[in-house]
Amino acid sequence: MAGSTYGTVFRMTTWGESHGKALGVVVDGCPAGLPLEEADIQRYLDRRKPGASSIATQRKEADAVEILSGVFEGRTTGAPISLMVRNTSQISKDYSEIASYYRPGHADYTFDEKYGFRDYRGGGRSSGRETVGRVAAGAIACKALEQLGVTVCAYTRSIGPIEAALERFDRQAILETPTAMPDREAAAAAMEYLEKSRQELDSVGGCMECIVEGLPAGIGDPVFEKLDGNLARAVMSIGAVKAVEIGDGQKVAMRRGSENNDAFHMEDGKVVKTTNHAGGILGGISDGDTVVVRAYVKPTPSIYLEQQTVNQSGEDIYVRIKGRHDPIIVPRAVVVMECMTAVTVLDAMLLNMSARMESVADFYR
Amino acid sequence: MAGSTYGTVFRMTTWGESHGKALGVVVDGCPAGLPLEEADIQRYLDRRKPGASSIATQRKEADAVEILSGVFEGRTTGAPISLMVRNTSQISKDYSEIASYYRPGHADYTFDEKYGFRDYRGGGRSSGRETVGRVAAGAIACKALEQLGVTVCAYTRSIGPIEAALERFDRQAILETPTAMPDREAAAAAMEYLEKSRQELDSVGGCMECIVEGLPAGIGDPVFEKLDGNLARAVMSIGAVKAVEIGDGQKVAMRRGSENNDAFHMEDGKVVKTTNHAGGILGGISDGDTVVVRAYVKPTPSIYLEQQTVNQSGEDIYVRIKGRHDPIIVPRAVVVMECMTAVTVLDAMLLNMSARMESVADFYR
Amino acid sequence: MAGSTYGTVFRMTTWGESHGKALGVVVDGCPAGLPLEEADIQRYLDRRKPGASSIATQRKEADAVEILSGVFEGRTTGAPISLMVRNTSQISKDYSEIASYYRPGHADYTFDEKYGFRDYRGGGRSSGRETVGRVAAGAIACKALEQLGVTVCAYTRSIGPIEAALERFDRQAILETPTAMPDREAAAAAMEYLEKSRQELDSVGGCMECIVEGLPAGIGDPVFEKLDGNLARAVMSIGAVKAVEIGDGQKVAMRRGSENNDAFHMEDGKVVKTTNHAGGILGGISDGDTVVVRAYVKPTPSIYLEQQTVNQSGEDIYVRIKGRHDPIIVPRAVVVMECMTAVTVLDAMLLNMSARMESVADFYR
Amino acid sequence: MAGSTYGTVFRMTTWGESHGKALGVVVDGCPAGLPLEEADIQRYLDRRKPGASSIATQRKEADAVEILSGVFEGRTTGAPISLMVRNTSQISKDYSEIASYYRPGHADYTFDEKYGFRDYRGGGRSSGRETVGRVAAGAIACKALEQLGVTVCAYTRSIGPIEAALERFDRQAILETPTAMPDREAAAAAMEYLEKSRQELDSVGGCMECIVEGLPAGIGDPVFEKLDGNLARAVMSIGAVKAVEIGDGQKVAMRRGSENNDAFHMEDGKVVKTTNHAGGILGGISDGDTVVVRAYVKPTPSIYLEQQTVNQSGEDIYVRIKGRHDPIIVPRAVVVMECMTAVTVLDAMLLNMSARMESVADFYR
């Protein structure tokens, strides 16, 4: 099982390699009647595109999306929505060098061990370009969630030691700074830090955060389909993510129960939590509060500095990885996290519709 | 979808509530011919049982497992294996108080919002007793993995601020100390810390770690069925876990690529990693090194200290939760983490058998 | 994959062998709030029980069902419902003979080839007793469907050459005659026919039919999850079924389009079909008319007449199968067909709730 | 859930509408290392293409397939294989008439009821063109099965009352006659019959058959994932199929056990069945004999004769359906049946690899 399908009711199947002809996704199970046009998706794809700034790869891809099916007269029909982005800039360069050894921190070795050989051009299926399909599908999920009053917003929380201050939260800055930070001051500092790392031929790691607002209580299921469990998988499945947290995450391990429990109280006739250490999820089910997910991302494994590795002939060698590579993964992964979260949450909302017999009976009355 | 099934080929379906008649699991897809008897499973269930020590609930359950199907003449037959544990000590006490309000940090509120009402006796399906089924299934997975040369071992890494020192790693201590720490010194310090917290009517959090040894390279799939993604979901689906890490986890966010990449080199004619920051997984696929997973667990939400909450009549109230509750969740959750990891790894191994056309052809030759 | 789980949202996992300790099923994803008690399930189990009549095996099983989880204060909670039936009458007889050869028409040989050995006691997992779990789960589905205004009714359509006349359709006769025919005249004739066959130490085949009334239009999905496709699988998965039809079935192959198309016309302001050759399904989706499914069942393979076969030592031998066996499978399989149909239809109805964006938005408003 | 994904390990996701931009499929889980080029797939697509003969629609589609991903240097890589066929001849004609009413025997009404509206151009997703994706995926499955020594062959068994005589079985005739019959005499008679029906502005039904040779014993699973159950679903999911049979199918209902049981005997040291009434499957698992599946297909619902129906304004009307339509569906559906069978069988073979613990241990040794 290659594992390229995600979701139960709202389900995406992605395909494509870094240097293949195209990349894409089939979204199946999207409710019928959702207004959708290519621009809705393009907006999201543009956020993961290599930009012009020094912190993103120089590869120039239009990444123009084409809707091939599932939309008629501007609305989804309930049929699978096939989306495709042609690869246009893959340079027919010589890959023989990269093909001949295992890049440290990459999946070259593990692909060879699993499949017996690999498409070595630009990382093949293990390239970050694989996320084109996720983002295209996520754009649709975000559009559907909007109609349900739910918004999903991801951003860079930190780059190396530079952390965004949430007191200065500025949603526009996420889209406008090359760092995808919601804090322009931190963004400026991070740019300096990145420039320094780039000059040192190295790369850096960081943290991204995603918040879901407007999600009603009751979404997610107990036991194996917990909303937090599924979000953890969704986010950890993004290349380079090495840790996932919900709410206060790791910090809870050092707390007392009396500090960590969120009290309930009444507000305007509704039950609300006084604090949100839980990150909006209790027992795997949303509690009506903001859902908070955090992901820690390793530094770009491709660096210009010399590294030790092994070649196909089984010899110890030293290499410097040439080509275009981002000094940090986080800013371009932010939209991927937003999209994986959106798909996960929407799928859980669709599945939740049959949780009560009474609602089912109402629906069919 | 209540979400009580986990796994694709090796698949468990758990059932049961804290104070229902029984709890259990159906394991489907276990390869035929595995020697199995009740004692194999009992050994694991005994590890999650409330012990005699002061850090575990006083509830006395024999938790004696019964194999109801799927085993014939001491071996699995390929048919579903049904395992059951009768609840024997659920005291028919008065639950009217606990039924009347939402316990902070528990799933009482979210269950009510989702399902319209809840089985409030001892937390019902959201109780830690739900894990009886997971552990019983995991015991079978562990037995199968043994035959494949793979061992899975989980333990308490830290309790509040007290951390186990891996230099003193003592596998026997995991089973013998009430803390499930692999370090007897730390275990003793932790016991003191827990006793203090107990006297203060409070609870504490902690961290657990699980290592998988002997796993061949090539296990797990790219994109959505990454081994790390699936482990993250598996572990985050354990109640009270709020963060999951693979390998060096969060720390990678502060590192440079040159620090974080694991170099490859040749050793005895084999490709090996010089370090293991990656935690044994590259691109979602095992790399032959030890797999390392870590989970951060919140303090037990049931505490004797007074807390604010809301009752069914929508009034702000203050409560002290009576009854038996552990001052920490971690030591009893360790075996659950081990079992969830085992099931995830075994399932991935079974699925991996068809990764190469050549192997499939060999199999059917 | 042993394949003991069925359904996407309303999902059953069955377990148990003919001569194991017990048989059962876990039903997951049943909407919360459905009134349910053991008697609701027992009623269905009693229909598949070996009766007192000469056409059913002499095995006496109480088949008393126990609800082990998922029901609280008389209603389903949304948690998995575990149902168990203890085997009580499995005689500890000598199975060494039956273990030593492959019964013609049975799965003895194929189980050995697949798994390397088999639980030979009474057919193990391939016994008709496996359907205890299906029927217990189906009883719950039927109860839920009732609340949605949908009724499912299966009956014996023919036994050997004796066919029930639908003009004489008498629903009570299905429950009261040992043949499960809805026509008492045909039932009487069939009993004579069966008696004759029994005296000749042989068995006979037959046909069963299932109708679903009250199903709204729009249930089922295009392409792979067609309602008819899923019903075909559901019904063909019942042991001994060798053909499945929807509506006029095989007959359509000999028709002209002008004969076979069902015209539409208006009736009381609603679109209705003038005829129902289609059996209530068009393009895989229900059309609001009665759904009609038919299954053709082979004669009981266990017969007292001498048959040729092969033993474990690879020798050609001749055998007469001793023990208790029904001269016909159909009458006891009727309730299994009803249950498989009910689970399939209910699951499709639950999944259909998210077909339109507008309904989803209404639900969450 | 739109239900466009099929298979567990070898899994296809199809997409596309009759008059959309393109149609296609994503095949995930194909073992790596299978030699594959576009010509392998084109060969199968050409078989379902509208031909030049009078019995197929005049629509001229090149149906040229493009491999967009998953193949590198002539072999599958283990990554999803995306295949696309552009629609080129969809005439931008006026669909307002067909949009305004429900065609009898079509899914127009049920799509509207399910989704609220429909893509009415040429039937949209419910068109026979939907099968382009199935056939493209099936071509890959057939190629993989070849390497496993398994061949799948479907053909037209009958057209109206004209039946192919299997004594004259001529595999080449399937590919060379416009009827896809394996008997040139019957094919000629059928052509005359079809011509007569065409002149009468009507259409006819028929039967198709598929045989699987070389399949080892042991494939398929007991209970819900029976090989015959899954084949029934696979074949019934093809538009217009109304009945599915395995082996002797319906006929078994009129037989005695002594007639219907297949005796076992030894042949060249192997266990073989003396007859094959069972159609190669016992208890849901292949028995090593030829698997035989039969499907009965309704006449093309689009006919030139006048029919009664209802329009969007809820008025009873009479219509004659214009445009291009085949007088019979069967000959072009034959390759679809072959492909659905191939995908089902291959998937079952891949899943079967973990049936025995011993094999799993051998694999990882």
Side-chain angles (χ1 to χ4, degrees), chain B residues 110-187:
Chain B
T110 56
F111 266 64
D112 265 17
E113 287 294 299
K114 183 172 199 79
Y115 299 117
F117 75 116
R118 72 184 190 279
D119 177 349
Y120 45 73
R121 300 164 305 163
R125 182 70 175 153
S126 71
S127 159
R129 263 190 88 63
E130 164 261 311
T131 60
V132 161
R134 304 185 186 220
V135 171
I140 300 176
C142 286
K143 186 113 202 244
L145 284 173
E146 240 173 66
Q147 299 215 348
L148 306 176
V150 180
T151 58
V152 182
C153 175
Y155 44 83
T156 300
R157 188 65 205 270
S158 65
I159 287 179
I162 319 291
E163 196 167 341
L166 298 189
E167 310 86 77
R168 287 193 291 264
F169 194 92
D170 169 357
R171 193 162 293 204
Q172 215 44 41
I174 303 169
L175 302 174
E176 291 171 6
T177 77
T179 60
M181 276 178 156
D183 164 4
R184 293 177 201 266
E185 275 183 44

Side-chain angles (χ1 to χ4, degrees), chain C residues 21 24 27 66 111 135 138-139 163 165 173 175 183 206 211 233 239 272 290 309 316 335 343-345 358:
Chain C
K21 284 188 168 183
V27 175
E66 192 180 2
F111 266 64
V135 170
E163 195 168 340
L175 302 174
D183 164 2
I211 54 175
R233 174 191 168 201
V272 294
T290 301
T309 191
D316 289 314
V335 67
V343 169
T344 305
V345 164
E358 204 186 346

Side-chain angles (χ1 to χ4, degrees), chain A residues 80-162:
Chain A
I81 305 165
S82 179
L83 304 172
M84 182 174 67
V85 164
R86 287 270 178 193
N87 277 328
T88 53
S89 87
Q90 64 285 48
I91 312 146
S92 64
K93 70 168 186 178
D94 183 12
Y95 284 101
S96 52
E97 195 199 325
I98 195 180
S100 72
Y101 64 79
Y102 297 131
R103 290 170 298 162
H106 277 279
D108 300 340
Y109 173 66
T110 56
F111 266 64
D112 264 17
E113 287 295 298
K114 182 173 199 77
Y115 299 116
F117 76 117
R118 72 186 191 278
D119 176 350
Y120 45 73
R121 301 164 306 162
R125 182 71 176 153
S126 72
S127 160
R129 263 191 88 61
E130 165 262 310
T131 60
V132 160
R134 304 184 185 222
V135 170
I140 300 176
C142 285
K143 187 112 201 248
L145 284 173
E146 241 172 65
Q147 299 216 348
L148 305 176
V150 179
T151 57
V152 182
C153 174
Y155 44 83
T156 300
R157 189 63 204 271
S158 65
I159 287 180
I162 319 289

Side-chain angles (χ1 to χ4, degrees), chain D residues 160-235:
Chain D
I162 319 290
E163 197 169 337
L166 296 190
E167 312 85 77
R168 285 193 293 264
F169 195 92
D170 170 357
R171 194 163 290 205
Q172 215 44 40
I174 303 168
L175 301 174
E176 290 171 8
T177 77
T179 59
M181 277 177 153
D183 163 3
R184 291 177 202 266
E185 275 183 46
M191 286 300 283
E192 273 181 54
Y193 179 78
L194 285 168
E195 180 53 27
K196 191 163 160 290
S197 144
R198 207 180 57 82
Q199 281 169 11
E200 291 165 13
L201 309 178
D202 216 337
S203 64
V204 309
C207 170
M208 50 193 185
E209 195 165 87
C210 185
I211 54 175
V212 183
E213 292 172 305
L215 189 66
I219 307 305
D221 288 292
V223 191
F224 301 121
E225 302 286 343
K226 284 193 165 86
L227 184 58
D228 38 3
N230 285 347
L231 286 170
R233 174 191 169 204
V235 171

Side-chain angles (χ1 to χ4, degrees), chain C residues 154-159 164 174 179-182 207-209 330-331 334:
Chain C
Y155 43 83
T156 300
R157 187 65 205 269
S158 65
I159 286 180
I174 303 168
T179 60
M181 276 178 157
C207 171
M208 51 193 184
E209 195 166 89
V330 170
V334 153

